[in-house]
Amino acid sequence: MDTKEILKKVRKIEIKTRRLSDHIFSGEYHTSFKGRGMTFSEVRQYQYGDDVRAIDWNVTARYNEPFVKVFEEERELTMMLMVDISGSESFGTKNQLKRDMITEIAATLAFSATQNNDKIGLLLFSDQIELFIPPKKGKSHVLRIIRELIEFESKSKKTDLSQALKYLSSVLKKKAIVFLISDFMVKDYEHTLKIASKRHDVTGIRVFDQREESIPNIGVVNMLDAETGEILLVDTTSNKVRMDYEKYYRENVNYFKDIFSKCGAGTISSRVDESYVTKLLGYFKARN
């Protein structure tokens, strides 16, 4: 993909996702994710009904009439987008690839954070850390993130969620809002998720294709494993083959839901032919 084509694609995603974040998500995002606490804003004259505990006695003594301290929520937050760019994210049979939807979701969340003057960082991973962009503010920074999501090519096709979560805990010491976006077709990340979710507000967003849920009976076919590159001859007429695959798929989905819940982290699941807008809005509102 040449530079002109990349910029055109970035602009297209910006227009779509920024509109969503401006008109739909910014308010929901603001109320769903709280700041670090209350910070002093100003003093004003005491009004009937004010809490006497808020009286500023120094200012009151100086002016010989009661004044109270006014506090406001310390809003500035940090959002970290952790995005799985392994081989399986390039799968899709309907309107778009999983990776395309993941890019749109990440861009929408990033613009929502920008509306609240929050910092946004990006972590791209496979079974290794592919790219880390430290959290920063501003539109140009968000556009850089979108560009990397579109054009970055992973060195590995495999997935290791545990490695990514371990890296997150090593580079982000202060509390952040973390969105981990993947198809979650792996296990064994409970320990590192537990550590990350104790410090951060973590949400797992599972993006999947309906064709991944089961194998249709279409005879004996060659199938490519997107994460190993291996081509396998699969007899889809076999009930056992189809049932074993469905069991494997369901186990990964259940593991995702159970472990995130156990660790106190949130979950969203969105199929590529579904509206991720509806899913995100429902999740934000449920948090309020």
Side-chain angles (χ1 to χ4, degrees), residues 2-174:
D2 61 31
T3 305
K4 191 175 179 182
E5 195 178 341
I6 289 167
L7 291 173
K8 188 178 177 183
K9 199 166 183 181
V10 169
R11 181 63 180 153
K12 187 178 178 182
I13 289 173
E14 180 196 0
I15 291 168
K16 179 178 180 179
T17 58
R18 194 166 191 180
R19 191 183 302 122
L20 288 171
S21 63
D22 286 351
H23 300 298
I24 301 174
F25 291 113
S26 58
E28 298 296 341
Y29 169 86
H30 181 96
T31 53
S32 295
F33 300 100
K34 308 299 181 186
R36 288 191 292 268
M38 304 303 287
T39 184
F40 173 75
S41 175
E42 60 181 349
V43 292
R44 62 165 171 76
Q45 285 182 305
Y46 177 87
Q47 296 173 0
Y48 178 75
D50 284 339
D51 190 338
V52 294
R53 290 174 296 182
I55 292 176
D56 187 320
W57 294 107
N58 290 329
V59 178
T60 296
R62 194 180 310 144
Y63 290 97
N64 204 28
E65 60 177 309
F67 278 77
V68 293
K69 293 178 181 178
V70 178
F71 293 86
E72 62 182 19
E73 184 185 354
E74 191 178 356
R75 266 301 310 171
E76 185 179 295
L77 300 168
T78 295
M79 176 191 285
M80 179 56 64
L81 299 168
M82 296 180 66
V83 180
D84 180 356
I85 57 168
S86 61
S88 62
E89 305 311 329
S90 296
F91 181 79
T93 60
K94 281 286 184 180
N95 303 328
Q96 59 186 343
L97 302 179
K98 286 189 284 184
R99 183 165 179 174
D100 294 335
M101 178 179 269
I102 286 171
T103 298
E104 286 192 18
I105 290 172
T108 302
L109 291 168
F111 279 122
S112 296
T114 298
Q115 287 282 92
N116 285 281
N117 201 34
D118 294 342
K119 295 178 182 177
I120 305 104
L122 178 68
L123 174 59
L124 301 181
F125 68 93
S126 52
D127 63 344
Q128 58 187 273
I129 305 307
E130 300 277 355
L131 176 70
F132 174 66
I133 300 177
K136 193 178 171 184
K137 295 181 183 181
K139 178 187 169 183
S140 61
H141 180 67
V142 173
L143 293 178
R144 183 199 168 188
I145 285 173
I146 295 172
R147 190 172 68 246
E148 294 292 359
L149 286 163
I150 291 169
E151 68 172 337
F152 194 90
E153 294 294 331
S154 61
K155 299 178 186 70
S156 173
K157 299 296 182 186
K158 298 178 181 179
T159 311
D160 189 337
L161 287 172
S162 187
Q163 178 74 10
L165 286 162
K166 186 178 179 182
Y167 183 82
L168 173 80
S169 295
S170 71
V171 294
L172 278 190
K173 300 303 181 186
K174 291 183 179 179

